[in-house]
Amino acid sequence: MLRSAALRIHQFHQCGGARASLRLATRPRAPLLLRSLSSPVDAPLPPPADLSVEQALSTSRIVLDFVRLGVSGRRLDVIANHASQPVQERWTTAMQVLVAAQAHVAAAFGYAATAEGVMAYRQHLAVAARGAGPEKLEELKTYDREVWSEVLMRGFALAPRPMDAATARSFAGKVAAAASDATGALGDSLTADL
């Protein structure tokens, strides 16, 4: 490499400078060969069959970091700046942001960055949570609450409020009913209940 550079400099000076550099510049170059940043794999890896509790904690923490500190959080801020849009559109966009963050994290752990990959990741996460001890389970729940707090605060400027299981089920039923209503009044009816 150094030898060829020295040869070009020598040719540049001997052949009249600019004319030689023009010839060198117009000569077709071989394409640059890029080195892989990771070891090449002969065959694609199969998707994971499960997540360990430690992997579940790690992925949950990373999703929270994406939502809190990454592009996902900035996208939620944009949603909040469009308060004039119907709540249904903003909610759909916020869920797309959250699923995209989960897809990025899931892909880093070997899942496909598709809807099916995210669903498999979420199923494995639930299985890991069921197998976690009380302390680890509480940590997973804390990460989940913090993710949803970020989504609500940054995307909608709403502080989450605790509700008992019966109230949450009732509210979820209202969300489902209002979402299926084509009138677009989802935000009005749900905001009244909050």
Side-chain angles (χ1 to χ4, degrees), residues 17 57 68 102 122-123 145 148 182:
L57 287 167
R68 186 176 281 162
Q102 291 173 342
R122 295 292 302 169
Q123 288 171 347
R145 276 192 301 271
W148 284 105

Side-chain angles (χ1 to χ4, degrees), residues 63-64 67-68 72-73 75-77 79-80 90-91 93-99 101-102 144-160:
V63 168
L64 176 59
V67 171
R68 186 176 281 162
S72 300
R75 288 183 178 148
L76 290 170
D77 293 340
I79 294 169
R90 291 177 23 210
W91 182 256
T93 305
M95 292 304 95
Q96 290 169 346
V97 168
L98 181 56
V99 169
Q102 291 173 342
D144 196 50
R145 276 192 301 271
E146 288 181 24
V147 165
W148 284 105
S149 292
E150 287 290 324
V151 169
L152 292 173
M153 286 298 295
R154 292 189 64 182
F156 300 91
L158 290 174

Side-chain angles (χ1 to χ4, degrees), residues 86 88-89 174-189:
Q88 282 173 299
E89 289 177 26
K174 289 178 183 180
V175 169
S180 66
D181 182 14
T183 65
L186 173 66
D188 299 334
S189 62

Side-chain angles (χ1 to χ4, degrees), residues 68-140:
R68 186 176 281 162
L69 307 170
V71 172
S72 300
R74 292 185 8 223
R75 288 183 178 148
L76 290 170
D77 293 340
V78 169
I79 294 169
N81 291 334
H82 292 100
S84 62
Q85 284 184 336
V87 173
Q88 282 173 299
E89 289 177 26
R90 291 177 23 210
W91 182 256
T92 299
T93 305
M95 292 304 95
Q96 290 169 346
V97 168
L98 181 56
V99 169
Q102 291 173 342
H104 285 292
V105 173
F109 281 77
Y111 295 91
T114 62
E116 292 80 17
V118 172
M119 286 190 292
Y121 159 71
R122 295 292 302 169
Q123 288 171 347
H124 292 162
L125 184 64
V127 170
R130 282 194 297 270
E135 189 176 296
K136 300 288 185 184
L137 179 60
E138 189 55 39
E139 195 173 346
L140 283 167

